[in-house]
Amino acid sequence: MTNISVKLYETKEELRKGFEVLKQLRTHLNEESFFNLYEEMQKQGYQLFGLEVQGVTVAVAGISILTNFYNGKHVFVYDLVTDESKRSNGYGKKLLDFISEFGSINGCQLVTLQSGVQRINAHRFYEHKMEYKKLSNSFSRDIG
């Protein structure tokens, strides 16, 4: 039987394991920049969860619980990555299901995320497998 668990990554060793998967999506990060940003993000409530199969990290999700006028209290998913060699095994779904339960336990009304326009397969996963609704477009502008 396969041993699957979701853990909050807090120690340097755990975070390093999470980074090994996260960097597949966040290719601009190196370990030093990851830890520097993580330290700042953690002050704002960021948490990194890892889904492990027999002690090996196969997927990670970086989240915060936020509150705003349009979503109320919600879980915002900043990062969701399944190791490229482990995709299509249901790990992303298991991790998002965990995040939904985590949010519900913490009084959240919904889970929300953003996904780059180029990530067509991810969008198909969110909309068809996870039943997420596409509600808006996101815009940004470089200022520095």
Side-chain angles (χ1 to χ4, degrees):
M1 182 165 190
T2 305
N3 183 12
I4 298 176
S5 61
V6 177
K7 298 178 179 178
L8 174 62
Y9 284 178
E10 298 179 281
T11 69
K12 272 270 210 235
E13 181 181 315
E14 291 168 335
L15 291 166
R16 198 169 277 120
K17 284 173 39 173
F19 174 67
E20 289 303 311
V21 176
L22 182 73
K23 71 181 183 182
Q24 294 177 28
L25 176 65
R26 307 294 181 212
T27 56
H28 64 284
L29 294 176
N30 60 37
E31 192 173 292
E32 181 182 358
S33 61
F34 165 76
F35 278 109
N36 289 338
L37 288 167
Y38 174 81
E39 188 176 313
E40 287 299 311
M41 293 164 64
Q42 186 184 31
K43 293 174 189 173
Q44 300 169 26
Y46 181 88
Q47 297 176 288
L48 185 66
F49 288 91
L51 186 140
E52 297 183 359
V53 177
Q54 297 177 329
V56 175
T57 304
V58 298
V60 294
I63 67 161
S64 288
I65 293 179
L66 303 173
T67 304
N68 58 36
F69 291 120
Y70 51 94
N71 286 329
K73 186 174 182 182
H74 63 283
V75 177
F76 187 83
V77 180
Y78 289 98
D79 311 293
L80 178 69
V81 190
T82 299
D83 186 294
E84 192 169 16
S85 67
K86 308 281 194 246
R87 292 186 184 151
S88 298
N89 287 300
Y91 300 137
K93 180 180 183 334
K94 285 184 189 316
L95 197 47
L96 276 179
D97 286 346
F98 171 86
I99 297 302
S100 293
E101 185 177 327
F102 177 84
S104 181
I105 289 168
N106 285 281
C108 297
Q109 295 148 342
L110 59 96
V111 176
T112 186
L113 56 84
Q114 295 179 339
S115 181
V117 294
Q118 76 282 6
R119 300 190 65 231
I120 304 302
N121 290 336
H123 302 167
R124 192 175 309 116
F125 167 72
Y126 297 135
E127 291 178 300
H128 300 291
K129 299 254 189 211
M130 298 304 301
E131 300 179 356
Y132 278 56
K133 297 177 193 140
K134 189 180 201 177
L135 299 177
S136 66
N137 290 309
S138 178
F139 299 90
S140 66
R141 178 177 158 215
D142 288 338
I143 58 172

